[in-house]
């Protein structure tokens, strides 16, 4: 009897475990399918708003539903309305957000009432707007024009999208289709392609952000761009892959798209590589809003050394309208194993692209230690200043440990087919494509006997680093690098395991061969307003 009861219990437990396991497997498959759907499609929902929470509102603000005062509350980053938490549900019924798509031939102004900037001025009578302590006067959420209640009749109903019309994708230029409701769980549309636009000099802008860059609050910046652009033009690559977005450029192969990358050098390199792989027509021109730690490429292109969440988005859009398209050399980095142990290759075959630099040795080791630590404890790397302190810490540690000592005896350097002999005692070798390195250091320098460095001459500059302490000296201008020369082809043969990095992305490689040669040229945007 006991055996029979025990057997029944075992069968019950086995059945229960099977049901739970099956349920987990089904939920996992559905979740994976849903994530894959989101990563390959841009969903459109013109009714639902984007609700970031503002804990502290600086200027006097009123709720757009109940008209009472707000000290903190929800703010739609797209259409600009402010709400109490209790007013969010009725707001979904009363207010439609900025329309991403439209079947109308002529786009009309889309107005929101009240909560205007303190320095607002009526576009018709040029008198102050929004000065009364109530919800009064209007702002068009497309062209950003502000008008009095009494002056609205004097303004044409058709919207021309205002100052930034050349950068905006109008709603009637977007083609969408009905999405799969079974996967997502609600009715929605999916963007298929972009149609040509009749706006003179139209160069639509795609803003691509990476919330993981440099600890900066990139999502706040992306929300600010949604205020001025069509919301579908603002993309967070942590939720959707950039290659699916760049397919829109293929639908208009003769239109010169602009892309603004909000992130660090690694994010810029990722987007440039995606453009090269997915855009057969006219390549988009890429500008940078620097939100990483080093931002060396952004410095060279005059976009600044770093921004935070308080960046003035309208000023950046004005800079984009005046920017100049320049060429940037892009290099292929091919890594292959040159030794085997027990039939297994000592290095992983890698094929990468480089815009800034490739290095082997102590500077790559510092970056590798930094990235490993950040992956374990990301909350300790919440600002650009703190990140630089971490870099300083790991550089100081390596000054004493010297893990890359005698690198010159374990590396064979070839430049344009010529082996470089008699290298001094080095701990690092860097192949540089742009004049900025190590968060803004003009390491190559200039002088009578120093070759001129350019970003589009098909040449890279090769220099050596004596130690981590030598890096610190170069960063404060107390030392020069060991300049080796310029070349069109560079080959590095590593005899043992070393840390490496390509445009700030670190990794380790065993004995291998690294071949570096020019791949193409990218179209970049240089800021001309600082000249």
């Amino acid at each position: 009897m006991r055996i029979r009861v025990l057997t029944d219990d075992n069968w019950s437990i086995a059945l229960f475990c099977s049901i739970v396991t099956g349920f987990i497997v089904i939920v996992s498959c559905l979740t994976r399918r849903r994530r894959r759907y989101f990563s390959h499609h841009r969903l459109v929902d013109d009714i639902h708003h984007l609700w970031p929470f503002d804990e502290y509102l600086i200027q006097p603000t009123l709720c757009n539903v109940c008209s009472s005062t707000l000290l903190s509350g929800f703010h739609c980053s797209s259409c600009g309305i402010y709400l109490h938490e209790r007013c969010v549900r009725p707001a979904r019924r009363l207010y439609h957000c900025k329309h991403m798509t439209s079947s109308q031939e002529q786009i009309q102004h889309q107005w929101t009432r009240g909560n205007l900037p303190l320095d607002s001025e009526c576009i018709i009578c040029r008198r102050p707007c929004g000065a009364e302590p109530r919800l009064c006067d209007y702002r068009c959420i497309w062209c950003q024009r502000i008008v009095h209640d009494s002056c609205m009749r004097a303004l044409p109903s058709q919207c021309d999208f205002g100052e930034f019309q050349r950068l905006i994708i109008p709603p009637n230029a977007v083609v969408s289709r009905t999405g799969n409701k079974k996967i997502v769980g609600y009715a929605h549309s999916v963007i298929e392609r972009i149609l040509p636009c009749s706006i003179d000099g139209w160069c639509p802008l795609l803003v691509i952000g990476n919330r993981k860059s440099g600890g900066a609050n990139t999502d706040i910046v992306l929300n600010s761009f949604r205020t001025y652009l069509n919301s579908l033009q603002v993309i967070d690559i942590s939720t959707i892959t950039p290659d699916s977005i760049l397919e829109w450029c293929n639908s208009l192969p003769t239109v010169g798209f602009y892309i603004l990358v909000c992130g660090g050098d690694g994010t810029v390199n990722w987007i440039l590589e995606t453009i090269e792989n997915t855009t057969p027509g006219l390549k988009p021109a890429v500008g940078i809003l620097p939100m990483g730690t080093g931002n060396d490429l952004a410095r060279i292109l005059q976009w600044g050394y770093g921004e935070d969440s308080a960046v003035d988005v309208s000023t950046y859009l004005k800079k984009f309208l005046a920017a100049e398209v320049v060429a940037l050399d892009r290099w292929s980095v091919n890594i292959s194993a040159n030794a085997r142990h027990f039939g297994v290759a000592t290095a992983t075959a890698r094929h990468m692209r480089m815009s800034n630099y490739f290095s082997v040795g102590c500077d790559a080791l510092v970056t590798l230690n930094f990235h490993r630590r950040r992956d374990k404890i990301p909350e300790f790397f919440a600002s650009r200043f703190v990140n630089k302190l971490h870099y300083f810490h790991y550089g100081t540690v390596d000054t004493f440990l010297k893990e890359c000592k005698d690198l010159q005896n374990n590396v064979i350097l070839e430049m344009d087919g010529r082996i470089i002999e008699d290298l001094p005692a080095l701990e690092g070798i860097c192949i540089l494509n742009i004049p900025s390195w190590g968060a803004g250091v003009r390491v190559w320098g200039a002088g009578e006997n120093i070759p001129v460095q350019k970003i589009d001459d098909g040449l890279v500059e090769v220099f050596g680093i004596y130690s981590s302490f030598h890096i610190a000296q170069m960063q404060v201008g107390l030392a020069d690098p060991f300049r080796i020369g310029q070349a069109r082809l560079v080959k590095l043969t590593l005899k043992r395991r070393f840390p490496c990095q390509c445009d700030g992305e670190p990794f380790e490689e065993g004995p291998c061969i690294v071949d570096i040669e020019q791949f193409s040229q990218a179209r970049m945007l240089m800021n001309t307003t600082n000249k």
Side-chain angles (χ1 to χ4, degrees), residues 322-384:
E324 175 186 351
V325 179
V326 298
L328 172 70
D329 289 335
R330 293 271 293 158
W331 300 78
S332 64
V333 180
N334 298 311
I335 301 176
S336 57
N338 68 339
R340 289 179 175 271
H341 289 291
F342 303 105
V344 180
T346 57
T348 305
R350 296 176 184 263
H351 305 282
M352 299 175 289
R353 309 273 168 77
M354 178 192 80
S355 299
N356 299 1
Y357 56 85
F358 179 89
S359 63
V360 178
C362 58
D363 65 323
L365 176 65
V366 172
T367 306
L368 181 63
N369 289 332
F370 170 85
H371 276 252
R372 285 174 173 171
R373 192 65 175 174
R374 184 170 66 174
D375 290 341
K376 290 182 178 179
I377 318 176
E379 59 272 16
F380 286 179
F381 299 80
S383 73
R384 189 178 294 110

Side-chain angles (χ1 to χ4, degrees), residues 178-232:
T178 302
N180 193 331
K181 183 179 178 180
K182 294 181 180 179
I183 296 179
V184 178
Y186 57 85
H188 64 278
S189 299
V190 174
I191 300 170
E192 282 194 325
R193 65 184 187 275
I194 308 298
L195 299 177
C197 182
S198 59
I199 298 175
D200 292 336
W202 188 50
C203 45
L205 172 65
L206 301 177
V207 181
I208 298 179
N210 183 4
R211 288 184 292 180
K212 298 181 180 180
S213 290
N217 210 348
T218 311
D219 52 342
I220 296 178
V221 177
L222 296 181
N223 287 336
S224 300
F225 276 105
R226 292 186 178 99
T227 301
Y228 295 90
L229 305 173
N230 192 328
S231 294
L232 63 86

Side-chain angles (χ1 to χ4, degrees), residues 187-317:
H188 64 278
S189 299
V190 174
I191 300 170
E192 282 194 325
R193 65 184 187 275
I194 308 298
L195 299 177
C197 182
S198 59
I199 298 175
D200 292 336
W202 188 50
C203 45
L205 172 65
L206 301 177
V207 181
I208 298 179
N210 183 4
R211 288 184 292 180
K212 298 181 180 180
S213 290
N217 210 348
T218 311
D219 52 342
I220 296 178
V221 177
L222 296 181
N223 287 336
S224 300
F225 276 105
R226 292 186 178 99
T227 301
Y228 295 90
L229 305 173
N230 192 328
S231 294
L232 63 86
Q233 296 178 245
V234 184
I235 301 106
D236 183 358
I237 56 176
S238 66
T239 59
I240 185 169
T241 56
D243 53 342
S244 61
I245 298 302
L246 292 174
E247 290 178 0
W248 299 350
C249 304
N250 297 335
S251 63
L252 295 173
T254 60
V255 174
F257 277 77
Y258 284 171
I259 291 180
L260 175 60
V261 180
C262 304
D265 291 332
T267 306
V268 175
N269 191 48
W270 181 17
I271 298 302
L272 290 177
E273 185 171 350
T274 305
I275 291 173
E276 292 163 350
N277 294 335
T278 61
T279 311
L282 180 62
K283 304 294 184 183
V286 178
I288 306 172
L289 197 160
M291 305 198 74
T293 302
N295 304 312
D296 287 297
L297 184 56
R299 297 170 192 264
I300 296 305
L301 298 176
Q302 306 297 322
W303 292 109
Y305 61 88
E307 299 288 353
D308 55 24
S309 58
V311 61
D312 188 344
V313 168
S314 63
T315 300
Y316 244 84
L317 293 177

